[in-house]
Amino acid sequence: MINFPFVIVIFGATGDLAKNKLIPALFSLFKEDKLPKDFFIIGFSRRELTHPQFHVHFESERSHEKWGEFTKHLFYQSGSFEEEKGYLALIEQLRQIDDKMGACVTRFFYLATPPDHYETILDKLLSTKLSEGCGQGSNKWTRVVIEKPFGKDLSTARSLDKKLSEIFEEKQIFRVDHYLGKETVQNILAFRFANGIFEPVWNRKVIDHVQITFAEKEGVKTRGRFYDGVGELRDIAQNHLMQLIAAVAMESPKSFTKEDLRDARAAVIDSVRIADGESVVKGQYESYRKEKDVSPDSDTETFVAMKLMVDTPRFEGVPFYVRAGKKLEKDFVEISIVFIQTCHILFKEYGCPEIGNVITFRIQPNEGISLRFIAKTPGAKLGLESVDMKFNYSESFGTKGPAAYEKVLLDIFAGDQMLFNRSDELDSSWELITSILKKWNSEKEEIEVYKEEQWGPELANKLIEKDGRKWLT
Ligand code: BG6
């Protein structure tokens, strides 16, 4: 529960992120009484809209009985990101809020635009002194929130970070990766470090390999303009996949505090490298070039698969096969830890299943964890089969927990940066991703087109099968 008044300015307020994630998350917090009595949301975008016209934008929320009450907190300011005019009008709206409240009201600036606009907006926050916070002159209560992708490659990420640090102090900066806010991702640490039985087997002696699949059924829908300039490698691999790897492979943080946790994440991301040989595969779904706002000869990848290595004493030599793609068979994000199959000699002649033990974290849907093991099939004859022991959030807790963006927003309001990226995490991850981008640019290979509602390009199967392994799904 946040108990001080605040104002959050969302840049890019008519975009998909605001529509599909941010406003629904704020509305949900409002319905659950987790927001203070006095809070103000100001959407800032190019389009000329009145406050009510802005409200109409959020179709899926509008039918709820509390929506009318919520819109009393929802305002709009039109303005071009490049011109001061809109920012000056925004200052006027903020001044009116301060006057109404009789005090400086805490300000959050949420950059939910495509990344090309970040530096322009930051420049304008500086030149108009909005960065200085309420009353323009104190930075006491200003925080800035930057969405992913944070830059387009290593050098743009570094330049963005430099700019941010020239304008704001580190404690004011929130670099979002909403996968860090997912209940199921946070639970990986509880599973690994709060249960004594797993730590002894969490290493190269017992683990054969790790698989991560980040599959989405939808294509780019209305996000063509944004996505075509970004692609799956930057949209998902650089951030969400890296953070999933970090959760699986990090060492135990010294404590469950912001810097210790960030240190542990940063150290492991810094140890990730691309495996030797042909270890990166990309693809594009069949109808991608016909999508709205996508170039008809686009080479943007909508699928990427990689074989990565984590060079730490714990995981040295254990391959991490990761893949992410759009227009695949189903929505499905899962991490599987596949253990070395050591079927005892006693059972060899009875047909040991090819894969023995697997721990699977299901990030979504049907959030939960399962452990696959081998069991004797019932009957007089000895036979063996794999079976699963399952934990499911909804069954055990009656809820799968809050949506990731609710957690992200509550942490921003509370000033808790633990589940936000620090520069060094981003730097290491961009280093890896930029090396792939450079290779792609220099080779200019034809992109493999893959059939929709399946599992991506054939090359992704070859990537893992050449090592004598296969994707579990
Ligand atoms: C976003 C990506 O960060 O994550 C989207 O930009 C993707 O392309 C989305 O669809 C997936 O998030 P979630 O929470 O719906 O799994």
Side-chain angles (χ1 to χ4, degrees):
M1 168 80 189
I2 307 296
N3 54 13
F4 55 85
F6 68 80
V7 48
I8 178 167
V9 179
I10 302 177
F11 290 95
T14 51
D16 285 279
L17 183 69
K19 183 172 175 176
N20 300 329
K21 304 275 191 189
L22 297 179
I23 297 295
L26 285 162
F27 184 41
S28 175
L29 293 173
F30 173 76
K31 287 185 287 189
E32 290 161 18
D33 284 331
K34 290 191 177 144
L35 296 182
K37 183 166 75 61
D38 296 302
F39 71 92
F40 308 83
I41 303 166
I42 305 181
F44 187 108
S45 254
R46 281 172 209 283
R47 274 185 238 178
E48 291 284 344
L49 299 176
T50 59
H51 301 309
Q53 281 167 339
F54 178 52
H55 301 162
V56 173
H57 224 68
F58 306 99
E59 296 115 27
S60 35
E61 272 63 43
R62 269 166 47 207
S63 53
H64 194 279
E65 52 175 348
K66 286 204 161 179
W67 177 250
E69 215 181 304
F70 180 72
T71 58
K72 293 184 189 144
H73 303 262
L74 191 56
F75 307 93
Y76 187 73
Q77 176 60 58
S78 70
S80 139
F81 301 135
E82 290 83 16
E83 290 164 23
E84 278 197 359
K85 198 169 146 226
Y87 297 83
L88 298 177
L90 175 64
I91 290 179
E92 183 50 29
Q93 278 210 53
L94 292 169
R95 196 190 54 73
Q96 285 174 14
I97 291 173
D98 286 352
D99 284 353
K100 182 173 169 209
M101 298 305 298
C104 284
V105 175
T106 308
R107 292 174 187 177
F108 300 95
F109 295 108
Y110 200 122
L111 275 54
T113 64
D116 306 354
H117 298 297
Y118 293 165
E119 297 217 19
T120 313
I121 297 171
L122 290 172
D123 282 338
K124 287 289 177 284
L125 290 180
L126 181 66
S127 67
T128 57
K129 296 197 170 30
L130 273 165
S131 56
E132 291 181 13
C134 57
Q136 277 80 59
S138 121
N139 63 10
K140 195 170 77 177
W141 283 116
T142 313
R143 292 192 187 116
V144 64
V145 186
I146 307 268
E147 263 295 334
K148 51 146 285 285
F150 189 90
K152 290 196 99 173
D153 54 21
L154 184 59
S155 71
T156 51
R158 281 185 178 162
S159 120
L160 175 59
D161 212 48
K162 184 161 173 287
K163 183 163 295 266
L164 269 171
S165 63
E166 283 162 5
I167 305 177
F168 297 99
E169 289 177 40
E170 180 59 26
K171 65 178 183 214
Q172 295 177 283
I173 305 170
F174 289 75
R175 304 174 192 85
V176 177
D177 179 333
H178 75 283
Y179 263 66
L180 284 169
K182 295 235 178 218
E183 201 61 55
T184 40
V185 177
Q186 295 173 60
N187 196 26
I188 296 173
L189 297 194
F191 181 87
R192 287 186 54 197
F193 300 119
N195 295 290
I197 60 169
F198 299 117
E199 175 62 14
V201 296
W202 216 262
N203 60 61
R204 57 193 293 268
K205 293 195 201 120
V206 198
I207 295 176
D208 178 75
H209 72 280
V210 175
Q211 298 191 8
I212 305 181
T213 293
F214 193 117
E216 294 181 274
K217 198 169 164 49
E218 291 288 0
V220 294
K221 297 205 316 199
T222 52
R223 300 168 74 221
R225 194 184 310 275
F226 158 79
Y227 190 88
D228 206 34
V230 173
E232 195 72 359
L233 188 69
R234 293 181 178 105
D235 187 38
I236 304 290
Q238 185 274 326
N239 33 76
H240 303 332
L241 283 184
M242 283 298 165
Q243 287 299 345
L244 295 181
I245 294 173
V248 169
M250 72 163 73
E251 292 306 312
S252 162
K254 282 201 218 102
S255 71
F256 212 65
T257 54
K258 178 182 78 176
E259 292 314 332
D260 285 344
L261 199 72
R262 287 168 139 195
D263 283 348
R265 290 200 311 250
V268 75
I269 295 175
D270 192 39
S271 322
V272 180
R273 68 173 168 87
I274 302 162
D276 299 335
E278 295 294 309
S279 300
V280 183
V281 161
K282 62 178 170 172
Q284 187 184 71
Y285 65 79
E286 264 177 333
S287 63
Y288 178 68
R289 292 179 185 185
K290 296 198 194 97
E291 296 277 20
K292 186 167 172 280
D293 297 325
V294 165
S295 156
D297 55 1
S298 172
D299 271 335
T300 300
E301 79 290 351
T302 59
F303 179 99
V304 62
M306 299 183 277
K307 177 181 172 187
L308 301 172
M309 305 304 287
V310 178
D311 285 339
T312 59
R314 187 189 285 272
F315 276 102
E316 193 191 341
V318 177
F320 280 60
Y321 300 95
V322 302
R323 57 180 175 166
K326 307 233 183 279
K327 280 263 181 195
L328 298 186
E329 192 178 302
K330 52 184 172 182
D331 280 323
F332 171 87
V333 182
E334 200 170 88
I335 304 173
S336 291
I337 318 295
V338 182
F339 290 87
I340 296 170
Q341 169 60 309
T342 52
C343 198
H344 196 276
I345 191 150
L346 194 62
F347 292 112
K348 285 270 187 294
E349 63 184 285
Y350 301 100
C352 283
E354 206 181 322
I355 292 185
N357 300 126
V358 182
I359 291 175
T360 297
F361 298 97
R362 176 63 81 89
I363 312 297
Q364 61 193 29
N366 307 326
E367 292 77 356
I369 302 175
S370 66
L371 168 64
R372 184 186 294 188
F373 62 97
I374 295 172
K376 177 191 165 300
T377 49
K381 204 163 155 259
L382 183 55
L384 301 170
E385 225 172 76
S386 294
V387 291
D388 284 327
M389 224 155 38
K390 287 185 176 156
F391 148 73
N392 177 290
Y393 277 83
S394 304
E395 278 169 26
S396 299
F397 296 120
T399 168
K400 58 182 189 177
Y405 269 98
E406 292 177 34
K407 172 78 179 144
V408 165
L409 285 161
L410 283 179
D411 283 355
I412 293 168
F413 299 147
D416 182 351
Q417 292 172 308
M418 184 151 77
L419 300 179
F420 294 81
N421 274 303
R422 203 170 57 187
S423 304
D424 50 351
E425 299 173 64
L426 288 169
D427 208 75
S428 305
S429 138
W430 271 122
E431 217 169 301
L432 182 121
I433 298 298
T434 305
S435 71
I436 300 173
L437 290 169
K438 279 193 180 147
K439 191 158 179 287
W440 283 352
N441 282 340
S442 67
E443 287 171 354
K444 292 256 172 279
E445 310 164 2
E446 269 295 294
I447 194 158
E448 185 181 336
V449 171
Y450 61 89
K451 288 212 176 332
E452 291 161 22
E453 303 196 355
Q454 297 186 7
W455 287 102
E458 191 39 44
L459 283 173
N461 295 332
K462 292 205 181 115
L463 176 82
I464 187 166
E465 284 165 11
K466 71 175 161 38
D467 294 346
R469 303 178 173 111
K470 57 182 180 214
W471 296 108
L472 296 179
T473 307

